[in-house]
Amino acid sequence: MTRPDPITSERRHLTGLGYRLLGSLADAEDVVQETFARWYALSAREQDAIASPGAWLTTVAGRICLTQLASARVRREVYVGEWIPEPLPGSTEWIGVVDPADRVTLDESVDMAFLVVLEAMTPAERVAFVLHDVYRYPFAEVAGIVGRSTAACRQLASSARRRIQASRPPVATPAGRQADLVRSFKVAWQAQDIAALVGLLDPGVTATADGGGLATARLEPMYGGEAVARACAAIVDVLPGMTLRETTVNGRPGLLSRQHGVTVTVFAFHVEGGRIKHIWAVRNPEKLRAWTAA
């Protein structure tokens, strides 16, 4: 009996894996296309000889991503301003079918704060960690993808795990409280109430914008509650017709900014200790295609 085409069952899994490894949905989709192209380049006999097409496809996609991560570092050296992972609209279920037992792990792994930490890792660390800790691949299989020994992959994942743990707040903020903070931030921003904004922001808050040279954005992060609050208030004056709407960004409460009906910025937030600790503002239109399509 002819086996079902693996594309039908593996596309979402591979897209989710590629996004977590590369931080870009567009790049992830390119990886999936290249992976399937290599599958179809095999003869029917070669395909039939592969015991697990899903595992084969994951291995190929993982290796392509590893190569992409190395070249991405070079590209980002000439990127205009700060590079922020591409934000995703709504829930994250559409980029990977998973066992319900793994739902929390996978949801967390597309949180913007999580992806930003992944960006600081070496390509091998990122691939080893995501495949093992997020997707639960045995280290023996990870080693075959990364091209390192099993012991080396254990060390890579352990190093990455320490980075993730160090970035996490001591106490997680409930989703409802996060949504309340973002909603209050929106109201205070629209009212240009600097005092209220400062009260919602952590004193050491960091605000980072990504325009990629294609949209106006600060080239360096901004620090401090007072500075960030005043900058937000000033935006209302320089962008007439701007509207703010509450939305879900990478599975977390966020904001969507439109100007004259066009989506111009997606804001992701990280809450810690009852206040907003990080704000990421993505303005690069190439990273907003999923939002404009939606």
Side-chain angles (χ1 to χ4, degrees), residues 55-248:
W56 187 93
L57 291 167
T58 297
T59 297
V60 171
R63 289 173 178 167
I64 295 173
C65 286
L66 189 60
T67 301
Q68 290 263 24
L69 284 168
S71 62
R73 290 200 159 199
V74 176
R75 293 198 308 271
R76 287 169 197 170
E77 288 178 0
V78 296
Y79 191 81
V80 179
E82 297 291 316
W83 191 95
I84 298 174
E86 181 180 345
L88 297 183
S91 70
T92 58
E93 294 179 1
W94 58 282
I95 59 167
V97 178
V98 297
D99 186 304
D102 293 334
R103 179 77 265 152
V104 173
T105 301
L106 281 166
D107 276 349
E108 180 188 46
S109 69
V110 292
D111 175 68
M112 186 62 74
F114 188 99
L115 291 172
V116 168
V117 176
L118 289 182
E119 283 297 314
M121 298 179 186
T122 67
E125 276 181 328
R126 186 166 183 166
V127 173
F129 174 78
V130 170
L131 284 172
H132 179 266
D133 282 46
V134 178
Y135 282 94
R136 318 219 178 209
Y137 277 77
F139 279 119
E141 294 182 26
V142 175
I145 295 172
V146 178
R148 307 280 184 95
S149 68
T150 299
C153 287
R154 288 183 186 276
Q155 292 179 340
L156 288 168
S158 177
S159 173
R161 201 175 300 123
R162 287 193 295 270
R163 293 183 188 230
I164 293 293
Q165 290 171 347
S167 71
R168 287 174 173 154
V171 179
T173 303
R177 175 58 179 154
Q178 293 182 42
D180 289 342
L181 279 169
V182 171
R183 183 174 302 114
S184 297
F185 184 84
K186 172 196 164 193
V187 171
W189 189 355
Q190 289 175 320
Q192 295 182 273
D193 188 337
I194 293 176
L197 287 170
V198 171
L200 296 166
L201 297 170
D202 184 273
V205 64
T206 301
T208 306
D210 178 347
L214 301 176
T216 304
R218 288 182 61 93
L219 299 181
E220 298 178 351
M222 181 179 292
Y223 303 95
E226 183 80 19
V228 172
R230 291 190 178 280
C232 287
I235 289 174
V236 176
D237 292 327
V238 299
L239 292 178
M242 183 188 80
T243 60
L244 291 170
R245 181 169 66 85
E246 294 171 49
T247 188
T248 302

